[in-house]
Coordinates of all heavy atoms in Angstrom, one line a residue:
M244 N 43.7 39.2 52.4 CA 44.2 40.6 52.5 C 44.0 41.2 53.8 O 44.8 42.0 54.3 CB 43.3 41.4 51.4 CG 43.7 42.8 51.2 SD 45.3 42.8 50.4 CE 45.4 44.4 49.8
M245 N 42.9 40.9 54.6 CA 42.7 41.4 55.9 C 43.8 40.9 56.8 O 44.3 41.7 57.7 CB 41.3 40.9 56.4 CG 41.0 41.6 57.7 SD 39.3 41.3 58.1 CE 39.4 40.2 59.5
W246 N 44.3 39.7 56.7 CA 45.4 39.2 57.5 C 46.7 39.9 57.3 O 47.4 40.2 58.2 CB 45.6 37.7 57.3 CG 44.5 36.8 57.8 CD1 43.5 36.2 57.2 CD2 44.3 36.5 59.2 NE1 42.7 35.6 58.0 CE2 43.2 35.7 59.3 CE3 45.0 36.8 60.4 CZ2 42.7 35.2 60.5 CZ3 44.5 36.3 61.6 CH2 43.4 35.6 61.6
F247 N 46.9 40.3 56.1 CA 48.1 41.1 55.8 C 48.1 42.4 56.5 O 49.1 42.8 57.1 CB 48.2 41.3 54.2 CG 49.3 42.3 53.8 CD1 50.6 41.8 53.8 CD2 49.0 43.6 53.5 CE1 51.6 42.6 53.5 CE2 50.1 44.4 53.1 CZ 51.4 43.9 53.1
F248 N 47.0 43.1 56.5 CA 46.9 44.4 57.2 C 47.0 44.2 58.7 O 47.6 45.0 59.4 CB 45.6 45.2 56.9 CG 45.6 45.8 55.5 CD1 44.7 45.4 54.5 CD2 46.6 46.7 55.2 CE1 44.8 45.9 53.3 CE2 46.6 47.3 53.9 CZ 45.7 46.9 52.9
A249 N 46.4 43.1 59.2 CA 46.5 42.9 60.7 C 47.9 42.6 61.1 O 48.4 43.2 62.1 CB 45.6 41.7 61.0
I250 N 48.7 41.9 60.3 CA 50.1 41.6 60.6 C 50.9 42.9 60.5 O 51.8 43.2 61.3 CB 50.6 40.5 59.7 CG1 50.0 39.1 60.1 CG2 52.1 40.4 59.8 CD1 50.3 38.0 59.1
L251 N 50.6 43.7 59.5 CA 51.3 45.0 59.3 C 51.1 45.9 60.5 O 52.0 46.6 60.9 CB 50.8 45.6 58.0 CG 51.5 46.8 57.5 CD1 53.0 46.5 57.2 CD2 50.9 47.4 56.3
I252 N 49.8 46.0 61.0 CA 49.5 46.8 62.1 C 50.3 46.3 63.4 O 50.8 47.1 64.1 CB 48.0 46.9 62.4 CG1 47.4 47.7 61.2 CG2 47.7 47.5 63.7 CD1 45.9 47.6 61.3
V253 N 50.3 45.0 63.6 CA 51.0 44.4 64.7 C 52.5 44.7 64.7 O 53.1 45.1 65.6 CB 50.8 42.9 64.9 CG1 51.7 42.3 65.9 CG2 49.3 42.7 65.2
L254 N 53.1 44.6 63.5 CA 54.5 44.9 63.3 C 54.8 46.4 63.5 O 55.8 46.8 64.1 CB 55.0 44.5 61.9 CG 55.1 43.0 61.7 CD1 55.5 42.7 60.2 CD2 56.1 42.4 62.6
A255 N 53.9 47.3 63.0 CA 54.1 48.7 63.3 C 54.0 49.0 64.7 O 54.8 49.8 65.3 CB 53.0 49.5 62.5
M256 N 53.0 48.4 65.4 CA 52.9 48.7 66.9 C 54.1 48.2 67.6 O 54.6 48.8 68.6 CB 51.6 48.0 67.4 CG 50.4 48.8 66.9 SD 48.8 47.9 67.4 CE 49.0 47.8 69.1
G257 N 54.7 47.0 67.2 CA 55.9 46.5 67.8 C 57.1 47.4 67.6 O 57.9 47.7 68.5
G258 N 57.2 48.0 66.4 CA 58.3 48.9 66.1 C 58.2 50.2 66.9 O 59.2 50.7 67.4
V259 N 57.0 50.7 67.1 CA 56.8 51.9 67.9 C 57.1 51.6 69.3 O 57.8 52.4 70.0 CB 55.3 52.4 67.8 CG1 55.0 53.5 68.8 CG2 55.1 53.0 66.4
A260 N 56.7 50.4 69.8 CA 57.0 50.0 71.2 C 58.6 49.9 71.4 O 59.1 50.4 72.4 CB 56.4 48.7 71.6
M261 N 59.3 49.4 70.4 CA 60.7 49.3 70.6 C 61.4 50.7 70.6 O 62.3 50.9 71.3 CB 61.3 48.4 69.4 CG 61.0 46.9 69.7 SD 61.8 45.9 68.4 CE 63.5 46.2 68.7
L262 N 60.9 51.5 69.7 CA 61.4 52.9 69.7 C 61.2 53.6 71.0 O 62.0 54.3 71.5 CB 60.9 53.7 68.5 CG 61.4 53.4 67.1 CD1 60.6 54.1 66.1 CD2 62.9 53.7 67.1
A263 N 60.0 53.5 71.5 CA 59.6 54.1 72.8 C 60.4 53.5 74.0 O 60.8 54.3 74.9 CB 58.1 53.9 73.1
A264 N 60.8 52.3 73.9 CA 61.6 51.6 75.0 C 63.1 51.9 74.8 O 63.8 51.4 75.6 CB 61.3 50.2 75.0
G265 N 63.5 52.6 73.8 CA 64.9 52.9 73.6 C 65.7 51.8 72.8 O 66.8 51.6 73.1
K266 N 65.0 51.2 71.9 CA 65.7 50.2 71.0 C 66.3 49.1 71.8 O 67.4 48.7 71.5 CB 66.7 50.9 70.1 CG 66.1 51.9 69.2 CD 67.1 52.5 68.3 CE 66.5 53.6 67.4 NZ 67.4 54.2 66.5
G267 N 65.7 48.6 72.8 CA 66.2 47.4 73.5 C 67.1 47.7 74.6 O 67.4 46.8 75.4
T268 N 67.6 49.0 74.8 CA 68.4 49.3 75.9 C 67.6 49.6 77.1 O 66.4 50.1 76.9 CB 69.4 50.5 75.6 OG1 68.6 51.6 75.3 CG2 70.3 50.1 74.4
P269 N 68.0 49.4 78.3 CA 67.2 49.8 79.5 C 67.0 51.3 79.6 O 67.8 52.1 79.1 CB 68.0 49.2 80.7 CG 69.4 49.1 80.1 CD 69.3 48.8 78.7
M270 N 65.9 51.6 80.1 CA 65.6 53.0 80.3 C 66.5 53.7 81.3 O 66.9 53.0 82.3 CB 64.1 53.2 80.7 CG 63.1 52.8 79.6 SD 61.4 52.9 80.1 CE 61.2 54.3 81.0
A271 N 66.7 55.0 81.2 CA 67.5 55.7 82.1 C 66.8 55.8 83.5 O 65.6 55.7 83.5 CB 67.8 57.1 81.6
E272 N 67.6 55.9 84.5 CA 67.0 56.1 85.9 C 66.1 57.3 85.9 O 66.5 58.4 85.4 CB 68.0 56.2 86.9 CG 68.8 54.9 87.2 CD 67.9 53.9 87.8 OE1 67.0 54.2 88.7 OE2 68.0 52.7 87.5
A273 N 64.9 57.2 86.5 CA 64.0 58.3 86.6 C 64.6 59.3 87.7 O 65.1 58.9 88.7 CB 62.7 57.9 87.0
E274 N 64.4 60.6 87.5 CA 64.8 61.6 88.5 C 63.8 61.5 89.6 O 62.6 61.3 89.5 CB 64.8 63.0 87.9 CG 65.9 63.2 86.9 CD 65.9 64.6 86.4 OE1 65.6 65.5 87.2 OE2 66.3 64.9 85.3
H275 N 64.4 61.7 90.8 CA 63.6 61.7 92.0 C 62.8 63.0 92.1 O 63.3 64.0 91.9 CB 64.5 61.5 93.2 CG 63.8 61.1 94.5 ND1 62.9 60.1 94.5 CD2 63.9 61.6 95.7 CE1 62.4 60.0 95.8 NE2 63.0 60.8 96.5
D276 N 61.5 62.9 92.3 CA 60.6 64.0 92.3 C 60.6 64.8 93.7 O 60.0 65.8 93.8 CB 59.2 63.7 91.9 CG 58.5 62.8 93.0 OD1 59.2 62.2 93.8 OD2 57.3 62.8 93.0
R277 N 61.3 64.3 94.6 CA 61.4 65.0 95.9 C 62.6 65.8 96.0 O 63.7 65.2 95.9 CB 61.3 63.9 97.0 CG 60.0 63.1 96.8 CD 59.8 62.1 97.9 NE 59.2 62.8 99.0 CZ 58.8 62.3 100.1 NH1 59.1 61.0 100.3 NH2 58.2 62.9 101.0
P278 N 62.5 67.0 96.4 CA 63.7 67.9 96.4 C 64.7 67.5 97.5 O 65.9 67.7 97.3 CB 63.2 69.3 96.6 CG 61.9 69.1 97.3 CD 61.3 67.8 96.8
G279 N 64.3 67.0 98.6 CA 65.2 66.6 99.6 C 65.9 67.7 100.3 O 67.0 67.6 100.8
V280 N 65.3 68.9 100.4 CA 65.9 70.0 101.0 C 65.2 70.2 102.3 O 64.4 71.1 102.5 CB 65.9 71.3 100.1 CG1 66.6 72.4 100.8 CG2 66.5 71.0 98.8
L281 N 65.5 69.4 103.3 CA 64.9 69.5 104.6 C 66.0 69.8 105.6 O 67.2 69.5 105.4 CB 64.2 68.2 105.0 CG 63.0 67.9 104.1 CD1 62.4 66.5 104.5 CD2 61.9 68.9 104.3
P282 N 65.7 70.3 106.8 CA 66.7 70.7 107.7 C 67.4 69.4 108.2 O 66.8 68.3 108.3 CB 66.0 71.3 108.9 CG 64.7 71.7 108.3 CD 64.4 70.8 107.2
P283 N 68.7 69.5 108.6 CA 69.5 68.3 109.1 C 68.9 67.9 110.4 O 68.4 68.7 111.2 CB 70.9 68.8 109.2 CG 70.9 70.3 109.0 CD 69.6 70.7 108.4
E284 N 69.0 66.6 110.6 CA 68.4 66.0 111.9 C 69.4 66.1 113.1 O 69.0 65.9 114.2 CB 68.1 64.5 111.6 CG 67.0 64.3 110.6 CD 65.6 64.7 111.1 OE1 65.4 64.6 112.3 OE2 64.8 65.1 110.3
D285 N 70.7 66.3 112.8 CA 71.7 66.2 113.9 C 71.9 67.5 114.7 O 72.7 67.6 115.5 CB 73.0 65.8 113.3 CG 73.5 66.8 112.2 OD1 72.7 67.6 111.7 OD2 74.7 66.7 111.9
R286 N 71.1 68.6 114.4 CA 71.3 69.8 115.1 C 69.9 70.6 115.1 O 69.0 70.2 114.3 CB 72.3 70.7 114.5 CG 72.1 71.1 113.1 CD 73.2 72.0 112.5 NE 73.0 72.2 111.1 CZ 72.2 73.0 110.6 NH1 71.3 73.7 111.3 NH2 72.1 73.2 109.2
P287 N 69.8 71.5 116.0 CA 68.5 72.3 116.0 C 68.3 73.1 114.7 O 69.3 73.4 114.0 CB 68.7 73.3 117.2 CG 69.8 72.7 118.0 CD 70.7 71.9 117.1
V288 N 67.1 73.3 114.4 CA 66.7 74.1 113.2 C 67.1 75.5 113.4 O 66.7 76.2 114.4 CB 65.2 73.9 112.9 CG1 64.9 74.8 111.7 CG2 64.9 72.5 112.6
G289 N 67.8 76.1 112.5 CA 68.2 77.5 112.6 C 67.4 78.3 111.6 O 66.7 77.8 110.7
P290 N 67.6 79.6 111.7 CA 66.8 80.5 110.8 C 67.1 80.3 109.3 O 66.2 80.3 108.5 CB 67.3 81.9 111.2 CG 67.8 81.8 112.5 CD 68.3 80.4 112.6
N291 N 68.4 80.0 109.0 CA 68.7 79.7 107.6 C 68.1 78.4 107.1 O 67.8 78.3 105.9 CB 70.2 79.7 107.4 CG 70.8 81.1 107.4 OD1 70.1 82.1 107.1 ND2 72.1 81.2 107.8
D292 N 68.0 77.5 108.0 CA 67.3 76.2 107.6 C 65.9 76.5 107.2 O 65.4 75.9 106.3 CB 67.4 75.2 108.8 CG 68.8 74.8 109.1 OD1 69.6 74.7 108.2 OD2 69.1 74.5 110.3
L293 N 65.2 77.3 108.0 CA 63.8 77.6 107.7 C 63.7 78.4 106.4 O 62.7 78.3 105.7 CB 63.2 78.4 108.8 CG 63.0 77.7 110.1 CD1 62.5 78.6 111.2 CD2 62.1 76.4 109.9
R294 N 64.7 79.2 106.0 CA 64.6 80.0 104.8 C 64.8 79.1 103.6 O 64.3 79.4 102.5 CB 65.6 81.1 104.8 CG 65.3 82.2 105.8 CD 66.3 83.3 105.7 NE 65.9 84.3 106.8 CZ 66.6 84.4 107.9 NH1 67.6 83.6 108.1 NH2 66.3 85.3 108.8
T295 N 65.6 78.0 103.7 CA 65.9 77.2 102.6 C 65.1 75.9 102.5 O 65.3 75.1 101.5 CB 67.4 76.8 102.6 OG1 67.7 76.1 103.8 CG2 68.3 78.0 102.5
V296 N 64.3 75.6 103.5 CA 63.5 74.3 103.5 C 62.6 74.3 102.3 O 62.0 75.3 101.9 CB 62.7 74.1 104.8 CG1 61.6 75.1 104.9 CG2 62.2 72.7 104.9
R297 N 62.5 73.2 101.6 CA 61.5 73.0 100.5 C 60.8 71.7 100.7 O 61.4 70.7 101.0 CB 62.3 72.9 99.2 CG 63.0 74.2 98.8 CD 62.1 75.3 98.5 NE 62.8 76.6 98.2 CZ 62.9 77.5 99.1 NH1 62.5 77.4 100.3 NH2 63.6 78.6 98.8
F298 N 59.5 71.7 100.5 CA 58.7 70.5 100.7 C 58.3 70.0 99.3 O 58.2 70.7 98.3 CB 57.4 70.9 101.4 CG 57.6 71.3 102.9 CD1 57.5 72.6 103.2 CD2 58.0 70.3 103.8 CE1 57.7 73.0 104.5 CE2 58.2 70.7 105.1 CZ 58.1 72.1 105.5
S299 N 58.1 68.7 99.2 CA 57.7 68.1 98.0 C 56.3 68.4 97.7 O 55.5 68.6 98.5 CB 57.8 66.5 98.1 OG 59.1 66.2 98.5
L300 N 56.0 68.6 96.4 CA 54.7 68.9 96.0 C 53.9 67.6 95.8 O 54.4 66.6 95.3 CB 54.7 69.6 94.6 CG 55.2 71.0 94.7 CD1 55.2 71.6 93.3 CD2 54.4 71.9 95.6
A301 N 52.7 67.6 96.3 CA 51.8 66.4 96.2 C 50.7 66.9 95.2 O 50.7 67.9 94.6 CB 51.3 66.0 97.5
F302 N 49.7 66.0 95.1 CA 48.6 66.3 94.1 C 48.0 67.6 94.3 O 47.8 68.4 93.4 CB 47.6 65.2 94.2 CG 46.5 65.4 93.2 CD1 46.6 65.4 91.9 CD2 45.2 65.6 93.7 CE1 45.6 65.6 91.0 CE2 44.1 65.8 92.9 CZ 44.3 65.8 91.5
R303 N 47.7 68.0 95.6 CA 47.0 69.2 95.9 C 47.7 70.1 96.8 O 47.2 70.7 97.7 CB 45.6 68.9 96.4 CG 44.7 68.2 95.4 CD 43.3 68.1 95.8 NE 42.8 69.4 95.9 CZ 41.5 69.7 96.1 NH1 40.7 68.7 96.4 NH2 41.1 70.9 96.2
G304 N 49.0 70.2 96.7 CA 49.8 71.0 97.6 C 51.1 70.3 98.0 O 51.7 69.6 97.3
Y305 N 51.4 70.5 99.3 CA 52.6 69.9 99.8 C 52.3 68.6 100.5 O 51.1 68.3 100.9 CB 53.3 70.8 100.8 CG 53.8 72.1 100.2 CD1 53.1 73.3 100.3 CD2 55.0 72.0 99.4 CE1 53.6 74.4 99.7 CE2 55.4 73.2 98.8 CZ 54.8 74.4 98.9 OH 55.2 75.5 98.3
R306 N 53.3 67.8 100.7 CA 53.1 66.5 101.5 C 52.9 66.8 102.9 O 53.7 67.3 103.6 CB 54.3 65.6 101.3 CG 54.5 65.1 99.9 CD 55.5 64.1 99.7 NE 55.9 63.8 98.4 CZ 55.2 63.0 97.6 NH1 54.1 62.4 98.0 NH2 55.5 62.9 96.3
M307 N 51.7 66.5 103.4 CA 51.3 66.9 104.7 C 52.2 66.3 105.8 O 52.5 66.9 106.8 CB 49.8 66.4 104.9 CG 49.0 67.4 105.8 SD 47.3 66.9 106.1 CE 46.7 66.6 104.4
S308 N 52.6 65.0 105.5 CA 53.5 64.4 106.5 C 54.8 65.1 106.7 O 55.3 65.2 107.9 CB 53.7 62.9 106.1 OG 54.4 62.9 104.9
E309 N 55.4 65.7 105.7 CA 56.6 66.4 105.8 C 56.4 67.7 106.6 O 57.2 68.1 107.5 CB 57.2 66.7 104.4 CG 57.8 65.5 103.7 CD 58.3 65.8 102.4 OE1 58.3 67.0 102.0 OE2 58.8 64.9 101.7
V310 N 55.4 68.4 106.3 CA 55.1 69.7 106.9 C 54.8 69.4 108.4 O 55.3 70.1 109.3 CB 53.9 70.4 106.3 CG1 53.5 71.7 107.0 CG2 54.2 70.7 104.8
D311 N 54.0 68.4 108.7 CA 53.6 68.0 110.1 C 54.9 67.7 110.9 O 55.1 68.0 112.0 CB 52.6 66.9 110.1 CG 51.3 67.3 109.7 OD1 51.0 68.6 109.6 OD2 50.4 66.5 109.4
A312 N 55.8 66.9 110.3 CA 57.0 66.5 110.9 C 57.9 67.7 111.3 O 58.4 67.8 112.4 CB 57.8 65.5 110.1
L313 N 58.0 68.6 110.4 CA 58.8 69.8 110.6 C 58.2 70.6 111.7 O 58.9 71.1 112.6 CB 59.1 70.6 109.4 CG 59.9 71.8 109.6 CD1 61.3 71.5 110.0 CD2 60.0 72.6 108.3
L314 N 56.9 70.8 111.7 CA 56.2 71.6 112.7 C 56.3 71.0 114.1 O 56.5 71.7 115.1 CB 54.8 71.9 112.3 CG 54.6 72.8 111.1 CD1 53.1 72.8 110.7 CD2 55.1 74.1 111.3
D315 N 56.2 69.7 114.1 CA 56.4 69.0 115.4 C 57.8 69.2 116.0 O 58.0 69.4 117.2 CB 56.1 67.5 115.2 CG 54.6 67.2 115.0 OD1 53.8 68.1 115.3 OD2 54.3 66.1 114.5
R316 N 58.8 69.1 115.1 CA 60.1 69.2 115.5 C 60.4 70.7 116.0 O 61.0 70.9 117.0 CB 61.1 68.9 114.3 CG 62.5 69.0 114.7 CD 63.4 68.6 113.5 NE 64.7 69.0 113.7 CZ 65.6 69.1 112.8 NH1 65.3 68.8 111.6 NH2 66.8 69.5 113.0
L317 N 59.9 71.6 115.3 CA 60.1 73.0 115.7 C 59.4 73.3 117.0 O 59.9 74.0 117.9 CB 59.5 74.0 114.6 CG 60.3 74.0 113.3 CD1 59.6 74.9 112.3 CD2 61.7 74.6 113.6
A318 N 58.2 72.7 117.2 CA 57.5 72.9 118.5 C 58.3 72.3 119.6 O 58.4 72.9 120.7 CB 56.1 72.3 118.4
A319 N 58.8 71.1 119.4 CA 59.6 70.4 120.5 C 60.9 71.3 120.8 O 61.2 71.4 122.0 CB 60.0 69.0 120.0
E320 N 61.5 71.8 119.8 CA 62.7 72.6 120.1 C 62.3 73.9 120.8 O 63.1 74.3 121.7 CB 63.4 72.9 118.8 CG 64.1 71.8 118.1 CD 64.8 72.1 116.8 OE1 65.0 73.3 116.5 OE2 65.1 71.1 116.1
R321 N 61.2 74.5 120.4 CA 60.8 75.7 121.1 C 60.4 75.4 122.6 O 60.7 76.2 123.5 CB 59.6 76.4 120.4 CG 59.9 76.9 119.0 CD 60.8 78.0 119.0 NE 60.2 79.1 119.7 CZ 60.8 80.3 119.9 NH1 62.1 80.4 119.6 NH2 60.2 81.2 120.5
E322 N 59.8 74.3 122.8 CA 59.5 73.9 124.2 C 60.7 73.6 125.0 O 60.8 74.1 126.1 CB 58.6 72.6 124.2 CG 57.2 72.8 123.7 CD 56.4 71.5 123.6 OE1 57.0 70.4 123.7 OE2 55.2 71.6 123.3
G323 N 61.7 73.0 124.4 CA 63.0 72.8 125.1 C 63.7 74.1 125.4 O 64.2 74.2 126.5
R324 N 63.6 75.0 124.5 CA 64.3 76.3 124.7 C 63.5 77.1 125.8 O 64.1 77.7 126.7 CB 64.3 77.1 123.4 CG 65.0 78.4 123.6 CD 65.1 79.1 122.2 NE 65.9 78.3 121.3 CZ 65.8 78.4 120.0 NH1 64.9 79.2 119.5 NH2 66.6 77.6 119.3
A325 N 62.2 77.0 125.8 CA 61.4 77.7 126.8 C 61.7 77.1 128.2 O 61.8 77.8 129.2 CB 59.9 77.6 126.5
D326 N 61.8 75.7 128.3 CA 62.1 75.1 129.6 C 63.5 75.5 130.1 O 63.6 75.8 131.3 CB 62.1 73.6 129.4 CG 60.7 73.0 129.2 OD1 59.7 73.8 129.4 OD2 60.6 71.9 128.7
R327 N 64.5 75.6 129.2 CA 65.8 76.0 129.6 C 65.8 77.5 130.1 O 66.4 77.8 131.1 CB 66.8 75.9 128.5 CG 67.2 74.4 128.2 CD 68.4 74.3 127.3 NE 68.2 74.9 126.0 CZ 67.6 74.3 125.0 NH1 67.2 73.1 125.1 NH2 67.5 74.9 123.8
E328 N 65.0 78.3 129.5 CA 64.9 79.7 129.9 C 64.2 79.8 131.2 O 64.6 80.6 132.1 CB 64.2 80.6 128.8 CG 65.0 80.8 127.6 CD 64.2 81.5 126.5 OE1 63.0 81.8 126.7 OE2 64.7 81.7 125.4
A329 N 63.2 79.0 131.5 CA 62.5 79.0 132.7 C 63.3 78.6 133.9 O 63.2 79.1 135.0 CB 61.2 78.1 132.6
R330 N 64.3 77.7 133.6 CA 65.2 77.2 134.7 C 66.3 78.2 134.9 O 67.2 78.0 135.8 CB 65.8 75.8 134.3 CG 64.8 74.7 134.4 CD 65.4 73.4 134.3 NE 66.4 73.3 133.1 CZ 66.1 72.6 132.0 NH1 65.0 72.0 131.9 NH2 67.0 72.6 131.0
G331 N 66.4 79.2 134.0 CA 67.5 80.2 134.2 C 68.7 79.9 133.4 O 69.8 80.5 133.6
G332 N 68.7 78.9 132.6 CA 69.8 78.5 131.8 C 70.0 79.3 130.5 O 69.2 80.2 130.3
D333 N 71.0 79.1 129.8 CA 71.3 79.8 128.6 C 70.4 79.3 127.5 O 70.3 78.1 127.2 CB 72.8 79.6 128.1 CG 73.1 80.4 126.9 OD1 72.4 81.3 126.5 OD2 74.2 80.0 126.3
P334 N 69.5 80.2 126.9 CA 68.6 79.7 125.9 C 69.3 79.2 124.6 O 68.7 78.5 123.8 CB 67.7 80.9 125.6 CG 68.5 82.1 126.1 CD 69.4 81.6 127.2
A335 N 70.5 79.5 124.4 CA 71.2 79.1 123.2 C 71.8 77.7 123.3 O 72.4 77.2 122.4 CB 72.3 80.1 122.8
E336 N 71.7 77.1 124.4 CA 72.3 75.7 124.7 C 71.7 74.7 123.8 O 70.5 74.6 123.5 CB 72.1 75.3 126.1 CG 73.0 76.0 127.1 CD 72.7 75.5 128.5 OE1 71.7 74.9 128.8 OE2 73.6 75.7 129.3

């Protein structure tokens, strides 16, 4: 009698596993958890880019590497603009 219940439990667990897996069909592709709304790399960062930028959420906030990369890029662009202004060039170049 104990073997009967053991087999019944194993079959029930197998049935639940098949239902959870989608009855034998492959699972749908998971959605990407990263929003991908970062400024384009092919041009300087503009004010609208800064207003629309979104960082991915990590366990305790934002992904530090993305924030650091954007801040480094903004600093480099600002330095380049300051150098052009110091040489007397057009700051919008």
Side-chain angles (χ1 to χ4, degrees):
M244 186 71 162
M245 189 168 107
W246 286 103
F247 174 74
F248 286 119
I250 291 172
L251 188 62
I252 290 172
V253 168
L254 289 175
M256 289 173 55
V259 169
M261 285 185 63
L262 285 174
K266 298 182 183 178
T268 59
M270 291 176 41
E272 288 292 322
E274 289 187 32
H275 197 43
D276 67 340
R277 304 184 84 178
V280 184
L281 294 175
E284 296 287 332
D285 60 343
R286 61 179 172 77
V288 176
N291 287 333
D292 295 327
L293 293 177
R294 289 184 187 101
T295 60
V296 71
R297 297 291 178 262
F298 295 105
S299 304
L300 292 176
F302 179 64
R303 296 190 65 176
Y305 295 104
R306 295 189 190 277
M307 217 181 305
S308 61
E309 290 179 359
V310 177
D311 289 344
L313 181 61
L314 292 175
D315 290 343
R316 180 176 165 198
L317 291 172
E320 288 179 17
R321 296 292 296 173
E322 287 173 353
R324 186 174 296 154
D326 290 344
R327 287 191 300 273
E328 289 175 359
R330 289 191 311 253
D333 184 13
E336 288 180 340

